[in-house]
Amino acid sequence: MTSSWLNDDTTIGHKIVRAIMFLTSFSWTFNPIQDYIEGGAPIEKVVTRMIPMCCVAAYCLFSHRGSQMRQMFRPGLWPLLWYVFFGVVCGLTSAQPALCAWKGAEIIIMLMWVSFSCYDANSTRREFIAMTRLIEVLLWVTVVLAIINPGLGLRRSASVIPWLQGYFPILNPNAVGFLSVAAFARLLFFSAKAKPLRLAFITGTLICSQSRTSYAVTLLVLAVFIIDGLRSRQTIRAVFALSAMAGMLFLLLGHHDAMVHIITRGQSEESMDTLSGRTDYWEFALRYVSWLGNGIATGSRSLIFVTGQDTFMRGSVNLHNSYIEALMGAGIIGAAPYIALIGFNIIRQGYRAIAHPSISQGLFLVMAIAFAARSMTSVVLAVFSYDMLMLMIFFAWLSHVRTDDNATPPAKRPKPVVYKKTLYEQKSLQAPP
């Protein structure tokens, strides 16, 4: 593929600000309970969050395309702005209202950046590919740090792969897993330099992530890749993906007991339906969902003060569900439109990939599947994070592209063959009897 958007031709300043935006999205941490009681803004938060985000906002506003900021008020993104507004307003009475206001500002700045950099279909694809390149660099750095410092490197943990008993904890297993899925999908669907080596490396980080959700999504990625290859009559692609799926299943051959043990996180059959205890969080949190929430990024943490359970007294709360987290933060009024937007766009991309098949549509269908799985097991689509940054790029793709430029055109009906008579036959018919 020789499309121009595969090459990043943006300015050096744009590349620097993009890297700042990407790295800042990892600055989110779960603050201890003392931060809610004492308040304040430690210098670490100012350096890793506020100053970089202000630089990104200034670049977007004062650059030559600053006038494009009006794109973020497109009707399709109003539900997101509605969610942020109610999340901040409801946070005025929360344990830490300043945190609610700042997390809302982060989402708005992220939306400014996406509106600034993803102004059409080609720029959106270019930005997505550039982000996955940064993901690959981050994964390489993670592995190198794990080798240099074994104490922070491969931490022991039971694995579905018998000969692999550990994972990379520098980011956290789920984060490494989702990052690996995004980079893996990009390399599968688009051409790249040193593609076999990079695919092998990403596969290694994916296995080491030991994330059940990431494993399941990877199988779906390969399935979509197979279907896309068969529809475009590229048999080699389909055979490659089938071989990869067979290889993943072969690694598990003969270790069914260990696989079930990891999938259930060692729980008994009676407690398998609790998803490692997460449904206990969901059931408890849903009792406190109301029309008005408790503030964006602090909604679930308000449960610390209303329960005596040990689970919620560890200093931080993670509901492992973006939808419930959004409902706790902005309430039903604020979160329902945003949740509906996510679900509608995921279904919308599925329809587009079927009606207008292409490599780009297939890639973003894979990302839609990943977002659907990620939103059910993590809160990262309810707060500012790299997942939400990728989700905004996905929304930008949907807003710019009605049908992909590289979509497979529908087959045209063949024209009927009309028999043309020869000149001799025409003269013979015109001649008088």
PDB file of all heavy atoms in Angstrom, residues 247-280:
ATOM      1  N   GLY A 247      -1.694 -21.420  16.074  1.00  0.00           N
ATOM      2  CA  GLY A 247      -0.545 -21.393  16.966  1.00  0.00           C
ATOM      3  C   GLY A 247      -0.912 -21.009  18.384  1.00  0.00           C
ATOM      4  O   GLY A 247      -0.405 -21.597  19.352  1.00  0.00           O
ATOM      5  N   MET A 248      -1.803 -20.030  18.536  1.00  0.00           N
ATOM      6  CA  MET A 248      -2.237 -19.626  19.869  1.00  0.00           C
ATOM      7  C   MET A 248      -2.962 -20.776  20.572  1.00  0.00           C
ATOM      8  O   MET A 248      -2.754 -21.018  21.762  1.00  0.00           O
ATOM      9  CB  MET A 248      -3.159 -18.407  19.776  1.00  0.00           C
ATOM     10  CG  MET A 248      -2.469 -17.140  19.319  1.00  0.00           C
ATOM     11  SD  MET A 248      -3.595 -15.730  19.200  1.00  0.00           S
ATOM     12  CE  MET A 248      -4.032 -15.522  20.939  1.00  0.00           C
ATOM     13  N   LEU A 249      -3.815 -21.467  19.832  1.00  0.00           N
ATOM     14  CA  LEU A 249      -4.546 -22.586  20.430  1.00  0.00           C
ATOM     15  C   LEU A 249      -3.623 -23.765  20.724  1.00  0.00           C
ATOM     16  O   LEU A 249      -3.814 -24.495  21.700  1.00  0.00           O
ATOM     17  CB  LEU A 249      -5.677 -23.021  19.486  1.00  0.00           C
ATOM     18  CG  LEU A 249      -6.769 -21.975  19.249  1.00  0.00           C
ATOM     19  CD1 LEU A 249      -7.778 -22.477  18.211  1.00  0.00           C
ATOM     20  CD2 LEU A 249      -7.486 -21.628  20.544  1.00  0.00           C
ATOM     21  N   PHE A 250      -2.571 -23.947  19.892  1.00  0.00           N
ATOM     22  CA  PHE A 250      -1.626 -25.050  20.115  1.00  0.00           C
ATOM     23  C   PHE A 250      -0.863 -24.860  21.425  1.00  0.00           C
ATOM     24  O   PHE A 250      -0.546 -25.838  22.117  1.00  0.00           O
ATOM     25  CB  PHE A 250      -0.661 -25.148  18.940  1.00  0.00           C
ATOM     26  CG  PHE A 250       0.383 -26.222  19.105  1.00  0.00           C
ATOM     27  CD1 PHE A 250       0.046 -27.555  18.910  1.00  0.00           C
ATOM     28  CD2 PHE A 250       1.681 -25.893  19.460  1.00  0.00           C
ATOM     29  CE1 PHE A 250       1.009 -28.553  19.071  1.00  0.00           C
ATOM     30  CE2 PHE A 250       2.639 -26.883  19.624  1.00  0.00           C
ATOM     31  CZ  PHE A 250       2.299 -28.220  19.432  1.00  0.00           C
ATOM     32  N   LEU A 251      -0.552 -23.608  21.771  1.00  0.00           N
ATOM     33  CA  LEU A 251       0.164 -23.347  23.018  1.00  0.00           C
ATOM     34  C   LEU A 251      -0.633 -23.785  24.237  1.00  0.00           C
ATOM     35  O   LEU A 251      -0.073 -24.070  25.299  1.00  0.00           O
ATOM     36  CB  LEU A 251       0.505 -21.853  23.125  1.00  0.00           C
ATOM     37  CG  LEU A 251       1.555 -21.322  22.152  1.00  0.00           C
ATOM     38  CD1 LEU A 251       1.672 -19.814  22.276  1.00  0.00           C
ATOM     39  CD2 LEU A 251       2.898 -21.986  22.390  1.00  0.00           C
ATOM     40  N   LEU A 252      -1.956 -23.826  24.087  1.00  0.00           N
ATOM     41  CA  LEU A 252      -2.812 -24.206  25.205  1.00  0.00           C
ATOM     42  C   LEU A 252      -3.144 -25.693  25.205  1.00  0.00           C
ATOM     43  O   LEU A 252      -3.811 -26.175  26.120  1.00  0.00           O
ATOM     44  CB  LEU A 252      -4.123 -23.400  25.144  1.00  0.00           C
ATOM     45  CG  LEU A 252      -3.970 -21.885  25.100  1.00  0.00           C
ATOM     46  CD1 LEU A 252      -5.336 -21.227  24.975  1.00  0.00           C
ATOM     47  CD2 LEU A 252      -3.262 -21.380  26.348  1.00  0.00           C
ATOM     48  N   LEU A 253      -2.698 -26.411  24.184  1.00  0.00           N
ATOM     49  CA  LEU A 253      -3.054 -27.811  24.036  1.00  0.00           C
ATOM     50  C   LEU A 253      -2.523 -28.627  25.217  1.00  0.00           C
ATOM     51  O   LEU A 253      -1.344 -28.562  25.555  1.00  0.00           O
ATOM     52  CB  LEU A 253      -2.489 -28.359  22.726  1.00  0.00           C
ATOM     53  CG  LEU A 253      -2.947 -29.770  22.326  1.00  0.00           C
ATOM     54  CD1 LEU A 253      -4.458 -29.772  22.091  1.00  0.00           C
ATOM     55  CD2 LEU A 253      -2.213 -30.234  21.079  1.00  0.00           C
ATOM     56  N   GLY A 254      -3.409 -29.368  25.846  1.00  0.00           N
ATOM     57  CA  GLY A 254      -3.025 -30.211  26.964  1.00  0.00           C
ATOM     58  C   GLY A 254      -2.939 -29.497  28.289  1.00  0.00           C
ATOM     59  O   GLY A 254      -2.518 -30.096  29.284  1.00  0.00           O
ATOM     60  N   HIS A 255      -3.319 -28.223  28.340  1.00  0.00           N
ATOM     61  CA  HIS A 255      -3.235 -27.459  29.596  1.00  0.00           C
ATOM     62  C   HIS A 255      -4.588 -26.814  29.897  1.00  0.00           C
ATOM     63  O   HIS A 255      -4.663 -25.645  30.290  1.00  0.00           O
ATOM     64  CB  HIS A 255      -2.142 -26.392  29.505  1.00  0.00           C
ATOM     65  CG  HIS A 255      -0.783 -26.949  29.273  1.00  0.00           C
ATOM     66  ND1 HIS A 255       0.026 -27.419  30.287  1.00  0.00           N
ATOM     67  CD2 HIS A 255      -0.091 -27.147  28.119  1.00  0.00           C
ATOM     68  CE1 HIS A 255       1.170 -27.856  29.784  1.00  0.00           C
ATOM     69  NE2 HIS A 255       1.125 -27.698  28.470  1.00  0.00           N
ATOM     70  N   HIS A 256      -5.649 -27.578  29.703  1.00  0.00           N
ATOM     71  CA  HIS A 256      -6.985 -27.019  29.871  1.00  0.00           C
ATOM     72  C   HIS A 256      -7.253 -26.630  31.325  1.00  0.00           C
ATOM     73  O   HIS A 256      -7.876 -25.607  31.603  1.00  0.00           O
ATOM     74  CB  HIS A 256      -8.030 -28.042  29.398  1.00  0.00           C
ATOM     75  CG  HIS A 256      -7.850 -28.461  27.976  1.00  0.00           C
ATOM     76  ND1 HIS A 256      -7.108 -29.560  27.621  1.00  0.00           N
ATOM     77  CD2 HIS A 256      -8.284 -27.913  26.808  1.00  0.00           C
ATOM     78  CE1 HIS A 256      -7.114 -29.696  26.305  1.00  0.00           C
ATOM     79  NE2 HIS A 256      -7.807 -28.703  25.786  1.00  0.00           N
ATOM     80  N   ASP A 257      -6.759 -27.436  32.257  1.00  0.00           N
ATOM     81  CA  ASP A 257      -6.989 -27.121  33.671  1.00  0.00           C
ATOM     82  C   ASP A 257      -6.318 -25.805  34.055  1.00  0.00           C
ATOM     83  O   ASP A 257      -6.900 -24.976  34.761  1.00  0.00           O
ATOM     84  CB  ASP A 257      -6.454 -28.253  34.553  1.00  0.00           C
ATOM     85  CG  ASP A 257      -7.225 -29.546  34.358  1.00  0.00           C
ATOM     86  OD1 ASP A 257      -8.377 -29.465  33.887  1.00  0.00           O
ATOM     87  OD2 ASP A 257      -6.676 -30.617  34.671  1.00  0.00           O
ATOM     88  N   ALA A 258      -5.078 -25.623  33.586  1.00  0.00           N
ATOM     89  CA  ALA A 258      -4.375 -24.372  33.888  1.00  0.00           C
ATOM     90  C   ALA A 258      -5.075 -23.186  33.241  1.00  0.00           C
ATOM     91  O   ALA A 258      -5.170 -22.104  33.828  1.00  0.00           O
ATOM     92  CB  ALA A 258      -2.927 -24.458  33.421  1.00  0.00           C
ATOM     93  N   MET A 259      -5.579 -23.379  32.015  1.00  0.00           N
ATOM     94  CA  MET A 259      -6.263 -22.298  31.316  1.00  0.00           C
ATOM     95  C   MET A 259      -7.520 -21.879  32.071  1.00  0.00           C
ATOM     96  O   MET A 259      -7.779 -20.689  32.267  1.00  0.00           O
ATOM     97  CB  MET A 259      -6.608 -22.731  29.895  1.00  0.00           C
ATOM     98  CG  MET A 259      -7.304 -21.663  29.061  1.00  0.00           C
ATOM     99  SD  MET A 259      -7.555 -22.195  27.361  1.00  0.00           S
ATOM    100  CE  MET A 259      -8.682 -23.575  27.613  1.00  0.00           C
ATOM    101  N   VAL A 260      -8.313 -22.847  32.496  1.00  0.00           N
ATOM    102  CA  VAL A 260      -9.529 -22.534  33.248  1.00  0.00           C
ATOM    103  C   VAL A 260      -9.180 -21.855  34.567  1.00  0.00           C
ATOM    104  O   VAL A 260      -9.864 -20.924  35.016  1.00  0.00           O
ATOM    105  CB  VAL A 260     -10.349 -23.815  33.491  1.00  0.00           C
ATOM    106  CG1 VAL A 260     -11.520 -23.542  34.422  1.00  0.00           C
ATOM    107  CG2 VAL A 260     -10.854 -24.369  32.161  1.00  0.00           C
ATOM    108  N   HIS A 261      -8.082 -22.284  35.186  1.00  0.00           N
ATOM    109  CA  HIS A 261      -7.663 -21.692  36.453  1.00  0.00           C
ATOM    110  C   HIS A 261      -7.328 -20.210  36.290  1.00  0.00           C
ATOM    111  O   HIS A 261      -7.696 -19.382  37.126  1.00  0.00           O
ATOM    112  CB  HIS A 261      -6.442 -22.441  36.994  1.00  0.00           C
ATOM    113  CG  HIS A 261      -5.913 -21.876  38.285  1.00  0.00           C
ATOM    114  ND1 HIS A 261      -6.500 -22.142  39.502  1.00  0.00           N
ATOM    115  CD2 HIS A 261      -4.860 -21.056  38.532  1.00  0.00           C
ATOM    116  CE1 HIS A 261      -5.831 -21.512  40.461  1.00  0.00           C
ATOM    117  NE2 HIS A 261      -4.829 -20.847  39.897  1.00  0.00           N
ATOM    118  N   ILE A 262      -6.647 -19.862  35.185  1.00  0.00           N
ATOM    119  CA  ILE A 262      -6.277 -18.467  34.954  1.00  0.00           C
ATOM    120  C   ILE A 262      -7.497 -17.646  34.578  1.00  0.00           C
ATOM    121  O   ILE A 262      -7.694 -16.516  35.057  1.00  0.00           O
ATOM    122  CB  ILE A 262      -5.209 -18.376  33.855  1.00  0.00           C
ATOM    123  CG1 ILE A 262      -3.931 -19.069  34.307  1.00  0.00           C
ATOM    124  CG2 ILE A 262      -4.919 -16.916  33.508  1.00  0.00           C
ATOM    125  CD1 ILE A 262      -3.337 -18.499  35.566  1.00  0.00           C
ATOM    126  N   ILE A 263      -8.349 -18.198  33.707  1.00  0.00           N
ATOM    127  CA  ILE A 263      -9.527 -17.450  33.263  1.00  0.00           C
ATOM    128  C   ILE A 263     -10.431 -17.104  34.436  1.00  0.00           C
ATOM    129  O   ILE A 263     -11.004 -16.022  34.515  1.00  0.00           O
ATOM    130  CB  ILE A 263     -10.292 -18.249  32.196  1.00  0.00           C
ATOM    131  CG1 ILE A 263      -9.461 -18.329  30.912  1.00  0.00           C
ATOM    132  CG2 ILE A 263     -11.651 -17.624  31.897  1.00  0.00           C
ATOM    133  CD1 ILE A 263     -10.078 -19.175  29.833  1.00  0.00           C
ATOM    134  N   THR A 264     -10.535 -18.025  35.384  1.00  0.00           N
ATOM    135  CA  THR A 264     -11.392 -17.779  36.556  1.00  0.00           C
ATOM    136  C   THR A 264     -10.615 -17.143  37.701  1.00  0.00           C
ATOM    137  O   THR A 264     -11.183 -16.929  38.770  1.00  0.00           O
ATOM    138  CB  THR A 264     -12.022 -19.092  37.031  1.00  0.00           C
ATOM    139  OG1 THR A 264     -10.978 -20.000  37.416  1.00  0.00           O
ATOM    140  CG2 THR A 264     -12.863 -19.722  35.930  1.00  0.00           C
ATOM    141  N   ARG A 265      -9.319 -16.872  37.459  1.00  0.00           N
ATOM    142  CA  ARG A 265      -8.451 -16.311  38.505  1.00  0.00           C
ATOM    143  C   ARG A 265      -8.462 -17.182  39.769  1.00  0.00           C
ATOM    144  O   ARG A 265      -8.430 -16.688  40.899  1.00  0.00           O
ATOM    145  CB  ARG A 265      -8.886 -14.886  38.869  1.00  0.00           C
ATOM    146  CG  ARG A 265      -8.580 -13.865  37.784  1.00  0.00           C
ATOM    147  CD  ARG A 265      -7.086 -13.611  37.685  1.00  0.00           C
ATOM    148  NE  ARG A 265      -6.802 -12.441  36.877  1.00  0.00           N
ATOM    149  CZ  ARG A 265      -6.435 -12.446  35.614  1.00  0.00           C
ATOM    150  NH1 ARG A 265      -6.341 -13.586  34.988  1.00  0.00           N
ATOM    151  NH2 ARG A 265      -6.153 -11.336  34.975  1.00  0.00           N
ATOM    152  N   GLY A 266      -8.531 -18.501  39.572  1.00  0.00           N
ATOM    153  CA  GLY A 266      -8.441 -19.413  40.694  1.00  0.00           C
ATOM    154  C   GLY A 266      -9.697 -19.558  41.506  1.00  0.00           C
ATOM    155  O   GLY A 266      -9.676 -20.184  42.567  1.00  0.00           O
ATOM    156  N   GLN A 267     -10.803 -19.013  41.051  1.00  0.00           N
ATOM    157  CA  GLN A 267     -12.026 -19.100  41.822  1.00  0.00           C
ATOM    158  C   GLN A 267     -12.698 -20.456  41.631  1.00  0.00           C
ATOM    159  O   GLN A 267     -12.427 -21.173  40.678  1.00  0.00           O
ATOM    160  CB  GLN A 267     -12.990 -17.986  41.408  1.00  0.00           C
ATOM    161  CG  GLN A 267     -12.438 -16.587  41.664  1.00  0.00           C
ATOM    162  CD  GLN A 267     -13.461 -15.534  41.306  1.00  0.00           C
ATOM    163  OE1 GLN A 267     -14.572 -15.564  41.795  1.00  0.00           O
ATOM    164  NE2 GLN A 267     -13.083 -14.632  40.434  1.00  0.00           N
ATOM    165  N   SER A 268     -13.595 -20.760  42.526  1.00  0.00           N
ATOM    166  CA  SER A 268     -14.341 -22.002  42.428  1.00  0.00           C
ATOM    167  C   SER A 268     -15.432 -21.869  41.389  1.00  0.00           C
ATOM    168  O   SER A 268     -15.753 -20.779  40.924  1.00  0.00           O
ATOM    169  CB  SER A 268     -14.953 -22.356  43.790  1.00  0.00           C
ATOM    170  OG  SER A 268     -15.876 -21.345  44.186  1.00  0.00           O
ATOM    171  N   GLU A 269     -16.043 -23.014  41.037  1.00  0.00           N
ATOM    172  CA  GLU A 269     -17.107 -22.989  40.044  1.00  0.00           C
ATOM    173  C   GLU A 269     -18.301 -22.171  40.536  1.00  0.00           C
ATOM    174  O   GLU A 269     -18.999 -21.550  39.739  1.00  0.00           O
ATOM    175  CB  GLU A 269     -17.543 -24.417  39.725  1.00  0.00           C
ATOM    176  CG  GLU A 269     -16.471 -25.242  39.036  1.00  0.00           C
ATOM    177  CD  GLU A 269     -16.979 -26.626  38.689  1.00  0.00           C
ATOM    178  OE1 GLU A 269     -18.169 -26.901  38.981  1.00  0.00           O
ATOM    179  OE2 GLU A 269     -16.210 -27.422  38.133  1.00  0.00           O
ATOM    180  N   GLU A 270     -18.521 -22.174  41.859  1.00  0.00           N
ATOM    181  CA  GLU A 270     -19.659 -21.418  42.393  1.00  0.00           C
ATOM    182  C   GLU A 270     -19.484 -19.924  42.242  1.00  0.00           C
ATOM    183  O   GLU A 270     -20.449 -19.172  42.152  1.00  0.00           O
ATOM    184  CB  GLU A 270     -19.878 -21.764  43.879  1.00  0.00           C
ATOM    185  CG  GLU A 270     -20.362 -23.183  44.136  1.00  0.00           C
ATOM    186  CD  GLU A 270     -19.243 -24.208  44.008  1.00  0.00           C
ATOM    187  OE1 GLU A 270     -18.069 -23.786  43.923  1.00  0.00           O
ATOM    188  OE2 GLU A 270     -19.542 -25.418  43.972  1.00  0.00           O
ATOM    189  N   SER A 271     -18.232 -19.445  42.189  1.00  0.00           N
ATOM    190  CA  SER A 271     -17.969 -18.002  42.125  1.00  0.00           C
ATOM    191  C   SER A 271     -17.441 -17.566  40.767  1.00  0.00           C
ATOM    192  O   SER A 271     -16.950 -16.462  40.620  1.00  0.00           O
ATOM    193  CB  SER A 271     -16.956 -17.602  43.209  1.00  0.00           C
ATOM    194  OG  SER A 271     -15.747 -18.313  43.041  1.00  0.00           O
ATOM    195  N   MET A 272     -17.512 -18.446  39.754  1.00  0.00           N
ATOM    196  CA  MET A 272     -17.012 -18.090  38.443  1.00  0.00           C
ATOM    197  C   MET A 272     -17.776 -16.934  37.826  1.00  0.00           C
ATOM    198  O   MET A 272     -17.245 -16.153  37.052  1.00  0.00           O
ATOM    199  CB  MET A 272     -17.088 -19.299  37.497  1.00  0.00           C
ATOM    200  CG  MET A 272     -15.971 -20.301  37.720  1.00  0.00           C
ATOM    201  SD  MET A 272     -16.131 -21.736  36.623  1.00  0.00           S
ATOM    202  CE  MET A 272     -16.047 -20.935  35.026  1.00  0.00           C
ATOM    203  N   ASP A 273     -19.071 -16.790  38.179  1.00  0.00           N
ATOM    204  CA  ASP A 273     -19.877 -15.743  37.569  1.00  0.00           C
ATOM    205  C   ASP A 273     -19.569 -14.363  38.117  1.00  0.00           C
ATOM    206  O   ASP A 273     -20.140 -13.375  37.673  1.00  0.00           O
ATOM    207  CB  ASP A 273     -21.370 -16.039  37.766  1.00  0.00           C
ATOM    208  CG  ASP A 273     -21.740 -16.153  39.242  1.00  0.00           C
ATOM    209  OD1 ASP A 273     -20.813 -16.360  40.054  1.00  0.00           O
ATOM    210  OD2 ASP A 273     -22.935 -16.045  39.564  1.00  0.00           O
ATOM    211  N   THR A 274     -18.671 -14.260  39.087  1.00  0.00           N
ATOM    212  CA  THR A 274     -18.361 -12.957  39.664  1.00  0.00           C
ATOM    213  C   THR A 274     -17.261 -12.224  38.917  1.00  0.00           C
ATOM    214  O   THR A 274     -16.929 -11.103  39.264  1.00  0.00           O
ATOM    215  CB  THR A 274     -17.926 -13.104  41.132  1.00  0.00           C
ATOM    216  OG1 THR A 274     -16.720 -13.871  41.192  1.00  0.00           O
ATOM    217  CG2 THR A 274     -19.003 -13.792  41.948  1.00  0.00           C
ATOM    218  N   LEU A 275     -16.655 -12.863  37.883  1.00  0.00           N
ATOM    219  CA  LEU A 275     -15.587 -12.214  37.113  1.00  0.00           C
ATOM    220  C   LEU A 275     -14.510 -11.653  38.030  1.00  0.00           C
ATOM    221  O   LEU A 275     -14.207 -10.464  38.041  1.00  0.00           O
ATOM    222  CB  LEU A 275     -16.160 -11.100  36.225  1.00  0.00           C
ATOM    223  CG  LEU A 275     -17.138 -11.541  35.150  1.00  0.00           C
ATOM    224  CD1 LEU A 275     -17.701 -10.329  34.440  1.00  0.00           C
ATOM    225  CD2 LEU A 275     -16.465 -12.474  34.159  1.00  0.00           C
ATOM    226  N   SER A 276     -13.912 -12.535  38.824  1.00  0.00           N
ATOM    227  CA  SER A 276     -12.855 -12.148  39.771  1.00  0.00           C
ATOM    228  C   SER A 276     -13.356 -11.129  40.789  1.00  0.00           C
ATOM    229  O   SER A 276     -12.596 -10.278  41.237  1.00  0.00           O
ATOM    230  CB  SER A 276     -11.635 -11.590  39.025  1.00  0.00           C
ATOM    231  OG  SER A 276     -11.153 -12.552  38.113  1.00  0.00           O
ATOM    232  N   GLY A 277     -14.599 -11.185  41.146  1.00  0.00           N
ATOM    233  CA  GLY A 277     -15.134 -10.272  42.148  1.00  0.00           C
ATOM    234  C   GLY A 277     -15.607  -8.947  41.608  1.00  0.00           C
ATOM    235  O   GLY A 277     -16.107  -8.120  42.370  1.00  0.00           O
ATOM    236  N   ARG A 278     -15.460  -8.687  40.311  1.00  0.00           N
ATOM    237  CA  ARG A 278     -15.842  -7.386  39.771  1.00  0.00           C
ATOM    238  C   ARG A 278     -17.347  -7.167  39.828  1.00  0.00           C
ATOM    239  O   ARG A 278     -17.802  -6.037  40.018  1.00  0.00           O
ATOM    240  CB  ARG A 278     -15.349  -7.270  38.328  1.00  0.00           C
ATOM    241  CG  ARG A 278     -13.841  -7.203  38.228  1.00  0.00           C
ATOM    242  CD  ARG A 278     -13.363  -7.122  36.800  1.00  0.00           C
ATOM    243  NE  ARG A 278     -11.905  -7.094  36.731  1.00  0.00           N
ATOM    244  CZ  ARG A 278     -11.208  -7.026  35.620  1.00  0.00           C
ATOM    245  NH1 ARG A 278     -11.844  -6.992  34.456  1.00  0.00           N
ATOM    246  NH2 ARG A 278      -9.895  -6.999  35.640  1.00  0.00           N
ATOM    247  N   THR A 279     -18.115  -8.226  39.634  1.00  0.00           N
ATOM    248  CA  THR A 279     -19.566  -8.045  39.696  1.00  0.00           C
ATOM    249  C   THR A 279     -20.015  -7.635  41.087  1.00  0.00           C
ATOM    250  O   THR A 279     -21.072  -7.031  41.239  1.00  0.00           O
ATOM    251  CB  THR A 279     -20.289  -9.332  39.271  1.00  0.00           C
ATOM    252  OG1 THR A 279     -19.789 -10.433  40.036  1.00  0.00           O
ATOM    253  CG2 THR A 279     -20.069  -9.616  37.799  1.00  0.00           C
ATOM    254  N   ASP A 280     -19.218  -7.966  42.115  1.00  0.00           N
ATOM    255  CA  ASP A 280     -19.533  -7.484  43.459  1.00  0.00           C
ATOM    256  C   ASP A 280     -19.433  -5.964  43.514  1.00  0.00           C
ATOM    257  O   ASP A 280     -20.260  -5.288  44.135  1.00  0.00           O
ATOM    258  CB  ASP A 280     -18.573  -8.102  44.481  1.00  0.00           C
ATOM    259  CG  ASP A 280     -18.757  -9.602  44.592  1.00  0.00           C
ATOM    260  OD1 ASP A 280     -19.847 -10.089  44.234  1.00  0.00           O
ATOM    261  OD2 ASP A 280     -17.818 -10.287  45.027  1.00  0.00           O
TER     262      ASP A 280
END
